[in-house]
Amino acid sequence: MEEIYNRYSKLVYNYLKGLCGDSSLAEELTQETFYKAVKGIKKFNNECKVSTWLCQIAKNTWLDFLKKKKYEDFVLINDENYVEKLIIEKSIENQVEDKEDLINLYQNIHKLDENTREVFYLRLKGELSFRDIGKILNKSEDWARLAFYRGKIRLKEGMLNDKK
């Protein structure tokens, strides 16, 4: 398993960083992914590549994290300091230039189909090549490149429509 970790940990990390956009969280989720892989190694039956199997575990680990986070956010609302924390966060956010454009961009990325959205996150946040993206999503490099190109066109159209 150590050999698998050494070979695929950077790929899994970059995939998770692309999904969550946070390097420390991606590190934590990478460790959790390999922990789950060790526990479930007997279930791996060579029907897919090891990298694909690990990225699927990583994706499920990310989704589990989001479910847990949603619950924690719900609990946080009942925190008496919640409003104060929210005001502090809002004032920091107001200092960011072009915040509306950034929000608009992410809203439009979120509207893309799941595969194209994953290509965008892997490319922009994970800084992966189209070849690596193709491997992760079990598609070709050309497919990943084309999905990104078509997604950019849809994003431009969506952002132009939002400004009207």
Side-chain angles (χ1 to χ4, degrees):
M1 193 64 187
E2 185 177 339
E3 182 181 327
I4 291 173
Y5 179 81
N6 290 335
R7 186 169 180 186
Y8 297 106
S9 62
K10 185 156 180 83
L11 175 78
V12 171
Y13 167 80
N14 286 333
Y15 176 66
L16 287 165
K17 187 175 179 197
L19 291 175
C20 70
D22 181 319
S23 56
S24 60
L25 177 59
E27 287 176 21
E28 185 179 326
L29 294 173
T30 299
Q31 296 303 318
E32 181 68 21
T33 296
F34 279 93
Y35 173 75
K36 289 178 179 180
V38 168
K39 284 178 54 178
I41 193 75
K42 291 180 182 176
K43 294 178 184 176
F44 182 68
N45 52 14
N46 284 330
E47 288 183 10
C48 63
K49 295 178 184 176
V50 174
S51 59
T52 303
W53 178 66
L54 289 170
C55 285
Q56 187 60 46
I57 294 171
K59 183 178 180 180
N60 290 335
T61 302
W62 167 241
L63 293 173
D64 290 345
F65 171 80
L66 289 178
K67 288 175 191 169
K68 181 180 175 188
K69 177 86 172 117
K70 195 178 251 187
Y71 173 76
E72 288 173 355
D73 286 347
F74 176 76
V75 172
L76 182 62
I77 291 172
N78 295 322
D79 181 0
E80 58 190 55
N81 297 325
Y82 175 74
V83 174
E84 184 178 316
K85 291 175 189 174
L86 193 60
I87 292 169
I88 292 169
E89 288 176 16
K90 290 293 180 194
S91 66
I92 291 169
E93 288 177 357
N94 288 337
Q95 295 173 11
V96 178
E97 287 184 346
D98 301 325
K99 179 183 169 198
E100 281 186 37
D101 288 339
L102 186 61
I103 289 171
N104 189 18
L105 173 66
Y106 278 105
Q107 285 174 333
N108 281 293
I109 288 174
H110 188 71
K111 292 176 186 175
L112 297 171
D113 64 275
E114 183 179 351
N115 284 330
T116 305
R117 192 169 51 239
E118 280 195 73
V119 169
F120 263 83
Y121 287 138
L122 290 170
R123 183 74 176 162
L124 300 176
K125 293 289 193 177
E127 300 176 1
L128 296 176
S129 69
F130 291 116
R131 184 178 183 189
D132 291 339
I133 293 169
K135 283 182 183 177
I136 290 170
L137 298 176
N138 206 23
K139 306 278 186 182
S140 70
E141 177 179 348
D142 290 337
W143 176 90
R145 190 179 309 280
L146 187 59
F148 187 77
Y149 173 75
R150 288 179 178 165
K152 280 196 313 189
I153 291 171
R154 281 185 255 148
L155 280 178
K156 285 179 186 176
E157 291 170 355
M159 292 180 82
L160 287 174
N161 290 337
D162 289 347
K163 288 190 177 188
K164 289 181 181 178

